[in-house]
């Protein structure tokens, strides 16, 4: 139940991934940061394995559903 609630809240933009990890894993903010870093690296490795472009560190990629003026 806790996991499902957190997945829904994160998906709806009502909770950060870090806060969800902290609640699910019962960990500190620092530990949650490490977990998020691992998840990010895993995602980059998966994208690279499939030949998909990987964003450089510190470079934000725009959402594909958002236009230049911010509308959807």
């Amino acid at each position: 139940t806790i996991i499902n609630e957190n997945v829904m809240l994160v998906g709806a933009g009502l909770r950060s991934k870090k806060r969800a990890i902290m609640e699910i894993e019962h960990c500190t903010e620092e530990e949650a940061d490490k977990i998020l870093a691992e998840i990010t690296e895993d995602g980059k490795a998966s994208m690279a394995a499939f030949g998909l472009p990987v964003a450089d560190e510190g470079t934000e990629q725009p959402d594909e559903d958002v236009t230049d003026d911010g509308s959807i």
Side-chain angles (χ1 to χ4, degrees):
T1 304
I2 291 173
I3 293 172
N4 289 337
E5 287 177 8
N6 277 287
V7 168
M8 289 181 6
L9 290 169
V10 170
L14 299 173
R15 174 167 287 168
S16 71
K17 290 178 183 179
K18 183 192 303 189
R19 295 287 171 208
I21 290 169
M22 290 171 65
E23 183 173 353
I24 293 166
E25 297 292 332
H26 304 288
C27 64
T28 66
E29 192 167 345
E30 292 77 21
E31 291 168 325
D33 283 332
K34 290 178 185 177
I35 293 169
L36 276 173
E38 290 174 10
I39 292 168
T40 300
E41 288 304 312
D42 285 349
K44 287 179 184 178
S46 295
M47 290 179 70
F50 287 103
L52 299 172
V54 179
D56 292 333
E57 292 261 340
T59 304
E60 261 189 61
Q61 297 293 321
D63 291 338
E64 291 180 21
D65 296 338
V66 178
T67 62
D68 289 339
D69 66 358
S71 64
I72 297 175

